[in-house]
Amino acid sequence: MSSRTKARKRALDILFSADVRGDALAVALAAEAKRAASEPEREASWLYAREIVDGVIDHGDEIDEQITTHSRDWKLDRMPTVDRSLLRIGTWELLWNDEVPTAVAIDEAVELAKDLSTDESGAFVHGVLARIARSN
């Protein structure tokens, strides 16, 4: 597993836990930063995970607007938490990280959805991110 794949999983953990607990994303990020300081062996995944979460914090309203616009009849608060978090990560990568090719951003989110969410989540995440990619 590449360090970026590990970083995406780590960012997903942060977004998911903040969402489930009702914590501010900045609070969850600070807690993970404290933990990361004691785990230098995981530094490679931490740096990109932090970049992702910072990006989601900085562009949260725009990201959620994109997801809502392109999710076709799915309200954000009705989506499984894992899917919502993956869509936020994927949308940030698609729209604000020029270093990640579109296909990679979508594929990584889809693979995590297949592994960690419902049977339909991979197709759902793919559809929403593909529509976002085409519209921008």
Side-chain angles (χ1 to χ4, degrees):
M1 184 182 300
S2 77
S3 63
R4 283 228 168 156
T5 299
K6 290 177 186 175
R8 287 179 186 95
K9 172 65 172 75
R10 200 166 179 176
L12 173 62
D13 291 345
I14 297 166
L15 269 66
F16 179 86
S17 69
D19 201 352
V20 168
R21 294 179 182 162
D23 292 341
L25 198 44
V27 171
L29 182 61
E32 184 63 18
K34 187 174 182 179
R35 185 178 6 208
S38 67
E39 299 175 329
E41 68 279 2
R42 294 178 62 203
E43 184 177 7
S45 69
W46 166 241
L47 296 176
Y48 189 56
R50 181 177 195 118
E51 184 178 345
I52 292 168
V53 176
D54 279 336
V56 172
I57 291 169
D58 291 345
H59 302 284
D61 291 340
E62 296 157 288
I63 289 169
D64 286 355
E65 182 179 316
Q66 286 288 322
I67 294 167
T68 300
T69 298
H70 295 94
S71 63
R72 294 196 178 155
D73 301 326
W74 273 90
K75 292 185 183 225
L76 203 59
D77 62 346
R78 302 252 323 153
M79 293 175 191
T81 307
V82 172
D83 296 1
R84 183 172 47 245
S85 298
L86 285 170
L87 287 168
R88 287 173 173 154
I89 291 168
T91 302
W92 176 80
E93 284 192 313
L94 287 171
L95 301 181
W96 285 280
N97 189 345
D98 295 334
E99 295 176 11
V100 177
T102 297
V104 172
I106 294 171
D107 288 346
E108 290 278 339
V110 168
E111 288 307 310
L112 284 168
K114 286 179 182 178
D115 289 345
L116 302 171
S117 196
T118 70
D119 291 340
E120 297 82 23
S121 290
F124 174 70
V125 167
H126 183 274
V128 174
L129 292 177
R131 287 189 289 278
I132 290 170
R134 279 193 302 269
S135 73
N136 288 285

